[in-house]
Amino acid sequence: MFDDKDFKHLISEPTKRQRAQPGKGHPDAHPLPGADPQTRSAFKPGEVRRLLEHTPGFIAVVRGPELTFEMVNAAYADLVGRRPLIGRPVREALPELGESFFHQLEHIYATGEPAIGRGVPLTLQRESGRIECRYIDFVYQPITEADGATTGIFLQGQDVTHQKRTEEQLRLALQGGQIAAWERDLGTDFVTWSENAEELFGIRSGPAAEFAKRIHPDDRPQHREALARALAGGAPYSLEVRFLKPDGSVIWIAHRAEVQDGPEGFGRLAGVTMDITARKSAEIELAGREARYRQDLEAAALVQKSLLTSNGAVGNLRYAGLLQSSSFIGGDTFNVLPHEGGLSFFLIDVCGHGAAAALASVAAHRLISEAAVIEAGRPPAAVVQQAAESWPEALPYFTMIYGHIDPISGQGALVQAGHPHPLLIRRGGDVVPLGQGGVPIGINASLAYETSPFTLHPGDALLLYSDGVVEAENAAGEPFSEERLLTVIAQHAADPSEFLLDTMVDRALQWSDAKTPHDDMSALWIRRVQ
């Protein structure tokens, strides 16, 4: 994908580490004020809003020197307390955020320098009037024009209040002395506990068996094995087990000990036991969240892949596609659409990675697919121009190749919108780059697009591919390059389409010494057989 450095006047996505939770609420149940007319014209009612509702974390756009709210999603509205925001300056809409926050945004607007924060406290007034402190991770990026002038700021991030509070609770628990010390005489098997053991664990000095029988039945084998290894080899041991308190409650403990020598060999065990219930509970909760998040991503990946066209044939044409995302979901997509009068095709590469790019790719896929069918008789340049004018400014930009071809004659035309040049591979081996360059969709809707005609003769093929293929870098930072891609094509042009595409991606991954790509890789191969 294109890096933001190539289009510095655009926003970039947040760092990968930011874990997401979908915004709460539903747009129909909690409508946001001030819906964008351009968004409504491009999509069915409520469609873009639903996409943004499911964008991980909060999102907002402010514009102009007054930093006026132009767009917010449900997660942002939940964060600040649902109140009128659209069309209001930040200072007026959220006065409780204070001068330091306003100065930060004003500095970004004035200098064009982004700001990143982790666990930053934010004082907010809730709907009830109550003042509440929230903690957020954020990336605030300037929105700039092609000439470098800043026109607004893109605010995105996560509400990490729960995580911060869990961390604070754990810190207080440790400071509160949730640790007891003990010694076990290996001759008498008597355990002497520190005075706070009864308060913490309900255990008093006495036979070792008293402690052992309070370990959860499922964890007793683990305790016995650790103790046996320590006594056999003299090595320290550490384990985490569940522990039954006298009141019937179950807690998690960390039990750590070392063997100390006595006059005639091993004389005693000395150790500490600490209540780690808070940490284990947080770990279990986090593991559950990560499992659910992974399941959500896997489900989203299935939905995204279901949009991709299957390999097929129309008339004299055979086509095949391939998508390998850098994560579960990505920003690349493609389609081939047979219709009366020909075959339309496109390959899209959305700026960014992960969930946000994937949601935008789904929106772009639908927009272009519908246009290809509805506007089948119009020149490709007119279809792309209409798409550029319809694409919402709040969504990431994307590059694209769009075109159509007559499956009988092989005559076709395409438009290049900031995407790598399509390659026309002649039967004899000559390669002809197609396209006029063009600008990605979502950068400047007023710029015109040019159509490039071509003809597929029997045995010729057309290759569309994303920049993730040729920009895959090895350890020395050298890209795979179009030259190496052409070598692969020359070696396998006569092979089945699926094999060619798989080989192309495999070679790029081998070059970068990676099992999965660092950037989404996609390609579409169309061949005329006769």
Side-chain angles (χ1 to χ4, degrees):
M1 296 183 183
F2 286 88
D3 291 330
D4 293 328
K5 64 185 179 182
D6 297 322
F7 300 96
K8 293 183 179 178
H9 52 295
L10 294 172
I11 60 175
S12 67
E13 68 168 357
T15 55
K16 288 184 178 178
R17 90 68 248 87
Q18 289 179 305
R19 294 297 182 194
Q21 293 181 346
K24 298 178 180 178
H26 188 281
D28 297 330
H30 302 284
L32 299 180
D36 185 349
Q38 184 172 344
T39 299
R40 290 198 300 268
S41 67
F43 295 85
K44 295 179 180 178
E47 187 169 21
V48 168
R49 183 173 293 175
R50 282 192 294 272
L51 286 172
L52 296 179
E53 283 283 353
H54 291 85
T55 298
F58 61 77
I59 290 178
V61 173
V62 294
R63 294 277 188 181
E66 296 296 321
L67 302 176
T68 301
F69 279 107
E70 184 177 278
M71 185 276 290
V72 299
N73 71 345
Y76 192 89
D78 286 340
L79 174 67
V80 302
R82 291 185 174 272
R83 65 181 90 179
L85 295 175
I86 304 302
R88 301 180 67 190
V90 173
R91 284 180 177 271
E92 175 185 325
L94 302 171
E96 71 271 21
L97 294 184
E99 290 298 318
S100 61
F101 176 80
F102 304 138
H103 289 162
Q104 182 180 46
L105 295 187
E106 290 165 356
H107 179 77
I108 296 170
Y109 189 88
T111 65
E113 298 175 357
I116 300 175
R118 307 279 189 189
V120 177
L122 207 63
T123 300
L124 292 163
Q125 185 172 0
R126 314 310 296 175
E127 296 93 328
S128 64
R130 176 173 55 90
I131 299 297
E132 180 180 358
C133 180
R134 309 294 293 179
Y135 294 87
I136 61 171
D137 292 348
F138 67 83
V139 178
Y140 298 158
Q141 286 277 21
I143 302 173
T144 58
E145 297 294 339
D147 62 0
T150 300
T151 62
I153 303 174
F154 185 78
L155 297 84
Q156 58 182 329
Q158 309 290 329
D159 184 348
V160 295
T161 305
H162 178 76
Q163 174 186 335
K164 291 289 291 185
R165 288 175 178 170
T166 300
E167 292 172 354
E168 180 65 8
Q169 289 169 358
L170 177 59
R171 183 184 68 82
L172 292 175
L174 294 175
Q175 285 184 343
Q178 302 294 307
I179 302 173
W182 53 271
E183 290 184 359
R184 176 177 175 178
D185 188 313
L186 295 178
T188 64
D189 236 7
F190 188 89
V191 180
T192 303
W193 286 88
S194 59
E195 293 182 357
N196 64 338
E198 184 171 9
E199 178 183 353
L200 291 176
F201 309 117
I203 191 78
R204 290 184 285 184
S205 299
E210 292 295 324
F211 174 81
K213 72 181 183 181
R214 299 271 289 278
I215 295 177
H216 192 282
D218 293 344
D219 297 338
R220 289 172 190 169
Q222 177 187 355
H223 175 248
R224 287 195 296 266
E225 291 170 6
L227 179 59
R229 287 194 300 269
L231 295 178
Y237 76 87
S238 176
L239 71 159
E240 296 178 355
V241 295
R242 287 162 291 178
F243 187 79
L244 308 175
K245 296 182 71 173
D247 62 4
S249 61
V250 179
I251 63 172
W252 279 90
I253 61 171
H255 196 57
R256 300 171 183 173
E258 64 179 21
V259 181
Q260 297 181 347
D261 294 337
E264 300 178 358
F266 296 150
R268 65 174 185 170
L269 285 173
V272 294
T273 299
M274 63 189 74
D275 186 339
I276 59 169
T277 305
R279 175 170 65 80
K280 291 295 291 187
S281 298
E283 289 175 355
I284 293 170
E285 180 181 358
L286 179 60
R289 288 183 179 180
E290 289 181 346
R292 292 190 295 272
Y293 180 65
R294 185 182 183 89
Q295 291 172 354
D296 289 344
L297 288 180
E298 291 173 345
L302 290 175
V303 171
Q304 188 177 34
K305 289 181 179 179
S306 71
L307 298 175
L308 303 179
T309 186
S310 300
N311 299 343
V314 175
N316 295 326
L317 302 177
R318 304 292 183 268
Y319 55 87
L322 180 145
L323 169 63
Q324 184 156 349
S325 299
S326 58
S327 58
F328 282 105
I329 49 180
D332 286 14
T333 188
F334 58 84
N335 204 357
V336 176
L337 298 148
H339 51 74
E340 184 177 353
L343 187 79
S344 294
F345 58 86
F346 65 81
L347 192 145
I348 285 172
D349 183 351
V350 175
C351 172
H353 305 276
L359 288 170
S361 77
V362 171
H365 186 283
R366 178 169 182 174
L367 175 68
I368 304 302
S369 295
E370 290 182 351
V373 175
I374 297 173
E375 307 291 343
R378 300 182 67 193
V383 176
V384 174
Q385 186 69 50
Q386 179 62 40
E389 294 172 358
S390 301
W391 188 247
E393 294 182 2
L395 294 181
Y397 71 87
F398 63 90
T399 66
M400 178 176 68
I401 299 296
Y402 173 81
H404 65 226
I405 184 170
D406 186 324
I408 305 301
S409 68
Q411 293 183 343
L414 58 79
V415 170
Q416 181 184 20
H419 205 81
H421 287 278
L423 301 178
L424 178 59
I425 297 94
R426 295 299 186 191
R427 183 175 185 177
D430 292 338
V431 177
V432 181
L434 300 177
Q436 304 295 322
V439 188
I441 305 299
I443 289 183
N444 188 339
S446 65
L447 296 178
Y449 292 89
E450 297 184 21
T451 297
S452 298
F454 65 91
T455 300
L456 285 184
H457 299 292
D460 291 350
L462 179 67
L463 175 65
L464 318 181
Y465 63 92
S466 67
D467 60 359
V469 177
V470 294
E471 292 182 1
E473 295 183 349
N474 62 13
E478 184 179 2
F480 182 65
S481 75
E482 185 177 297
E483 179 182 358
R484 292 181 177 87
L485 173 62
L486 292 176
T487 299
V488 175
I489 295 172
Q491 294 171 344
H492 299 282
D495 292 332
S497 303
E498 295 86 347
F499 181 82
L500 168 64
L501 296 179
D502 288 339
T503 302
M504 181 179 71
V505 170
D506 288 344
R507 294 284 180 85
L509 291 176
Q510 291 172 10
W511 177 259
S512 59
D513 192 23
K515 293 182 179 180
T516 58
H518 299 294
D519 192 3
D520 300 335
M521 294 183 181
S522 60
L524 186 61
W525 177 265
I526 303 174
R527 184 198 297 271
R528 183 180 178 188
V529 294
Q530 63 181 17

